[in-house]
Amino acid sequence: MNPYWLEEETPPRRQVQHTGRVDVAIVGAGITGCSAALRLAEAGLRVRVHDQRGVAEGASGRNGGFALRGGATAYDVARETYGVEQARDLWGWTERALDRMEDLAGDALRRPGSFRLAADAEEREQIEGEYTALRADGIDAEWVDDLPGRLAGRFDGGILHPGDGSLQPARFVRRLAARAAEAGAEIREHDRVDDVTVLDADAVVVATDGYGHGLVPELADAIWPTRGQVIVSEPIDRPLYDRPHYARHGFDYWQQLPDGRVLLGGFRDVSIMDELTDVEITTPTIQASLERFLGELIGEEPRITHRWAGIFGLTQDMLPLVGRVPGRDALWVAAGYSGHGNVLGFACGELVADAILGQTAPQLELFDPARLV
Ligand SMILES: Cc1cc2nc3c(=O)[nH]c(=O)nc-3n(C[C@H](O)[C@H](O)[C@H](O)COP(=O)(O)OP(=O)(O)OC[C@H]3O[C@@H](n4cnc5c(N)ncnc54)[C@H](O)[C@@H]3O)c2cc1C
């Protein structure tokens, strides 16, 4: 397995070492942990981040690179489930998070918008419902019937979400880690935590998304580790897809990268129960489905240069858990983005940091871990 994003060299980072007890220990140096570390360190707290691997080597360096606003469910479903006001606030909150990511990202983020496509008439009806709800609530979205290039004839229209982005996630998170270190955070890589109660810190944040299963027993039934698989082609010398695309309820997602490669992930539904696992391996069944579809997307059988698996945390209501772990003193969690953690993870890292700093926000109610723990 060779996650494409992680091949880049890590930028230099200030080496910080705190002696003794810190204000906050964070488990997990992905987008959530690094975002929280930056916020807390900038507020003047002593922060130590622990990761069993290197920075961004979990899902944050193994994902599809889609930086999408909103939650993991469709907008109309979100609206029905937790009300117009909460849904609209959540979408706006993530749009503002994307703007802040852009300020920090440099060339790790482009914002060409994203394309949510209908694979058939049934899906078209569903996403027409989402489009109507978005427009009714004043959220910018565009319906497209005349699909360009290879999409025409294969897909039945789609929603263009302006402002969404394509992220080089490992580059972004490594930069975030460097900023956090610059602000005074200690980042300890290859440092596994087996027991959160022995960390020498006044507060602990668990930011392990799908990887930390079992670390906090109370969370074990609330966040289910789920595997996703991705392949990347050799560079294709013609422009095919100018933004992130996703179809079949988000089960298939692809984009062409700046160097011409086409990245494709998904097909989890081909063997959905097998993918409820934290075993980080690729499987022949899903890889074969990915390869077949990649050939269709490109119009020829490309050479595949990269394949990998990653684990994300799925929750029953598709909303993350952010806040105190019920029944535990000074133990916090920010995790469970249900495969939608690039923007949510960044925003929830900040959210949990602000909560530790004593600030309240409406999202803390929506994401309260007590609803599932
Ligand atoms: C294949 C795939 C495709 C995806 N595509 C997208 C996408 O296109 N767009 C999107 O928004 N989201 C996507 N996601 C989801 C997104 O990647 C994650 O939600 C997000 O990266 C979570 O970030 P995180 O920092 O919370 O967790 P992670 O990045 O997973 O980081 C958790 C870290 O915790 C560490 N850790 C775990 N246990 C311990 C321990 N006991 N001690 C020390 N360290 C520990 C791990 O090593 C890991 O580095 C995808 C996920 C996968 C797997």
Side-chain angles (χ1 to χ4, degrees), residues 10 33 40 49 63 99 101 111 134-135 144 149 157 170 172 183 186 198 217 222 233 253 282 285 287 302 312 328:
T10 304
L40 291 165
V49 184
N63 63 56
D99 292 342
M101 288 174 74
R111 296 185 71 178
L134 285 164
R135 294 301 296 249
V144 181
F172 179 75
E186 176 180 354
V198 301
S233 75
Y253 48 92
T282 58
T285 323
Q287 291 290 307
F312 63 87
R328 294 282 204 115

Side-chain angles (χ1 to χ4, degrees), residues 28 30-32 51-52 59-60 63-64 66 193 209 211 253 310 339-342:
I31 197 160
T32 307
D51 200 297
Q52 62 192 1
S60 295
N63 63 56
F66 286 38
V193 174
D209 199 26
Y211 283 92
Y253 48 92
H340 204 88
N342 277 337

Side-chain angles (χ1 to χ4, degrees), residues 5-29:
W5 310 117
L6 288 167
E7 282 181 349
E8 274 188 16
E9 258 180 56
T10 304
R13 191 171 65 228
R14 179 181 164 208
Q15 293 304 310
V16 179
Q17 265 190 322
H18 293 306
T19 45
R21 198 168 179 82
V22 290
D23 296 310
V24 184
I26 298 172
V27 188

Side-chain angles (χ1 to χ4, degrees), residues 27-33 50-54 56-68 191-194 207-212 215 226-230 253 308-313 334-335 337-343 345:
V27 188
I31 197 160
T32 307
H50 306 258
D51 200 297
Q52 62 192 1
R53 294 171 140 176
E57 290 180 11
S60 295
R62 294 167 178 272
N63 63 56
F66 286 38
L68 311 179
D191 184 30
R192 183 181 162 84
V193 174
D194 289 308
T208 53
D209 199 26
Y211 283 92
L215 181 61
T226 307
R227 182 168 59 207
Q229 301 187 36
V230 178
Y253 48 92
W308 68 87
I311 311 299
F312 63 87
Y337 310 109
S338 300
H340 204 88
N342 277 337
V343 179

Side-chain angles (χ1 to χ4, degrees), residues 176-190:
L176 210 53
R179 273 183 190 258
E182 204 48 52
E186 176 180 354
I187 299 176
R188 287 194 187 170
E189 295 177 296
H190 309 290

Side-chain angles (χ1 to χ4, degrees), residues 9 99 205 304 366:
E9 258 180 56
D99 292 342
V205 179
I304 290 160
L366 193 61

Side-chain angles (χ1 to χ4, degrees), residues 278-299:
D278 60 1
V279 180
E280 198 187 73
I281 53 167
T282 58
T283 61
T285 323
I286 289 186
Q287 291 290 307
S289 299
L290 287 169
E291 282 179 29
R292 210 174 310 118
F293 190 52
L294 186 66
E296 289 174 29
L297 287 174
I298 296 176

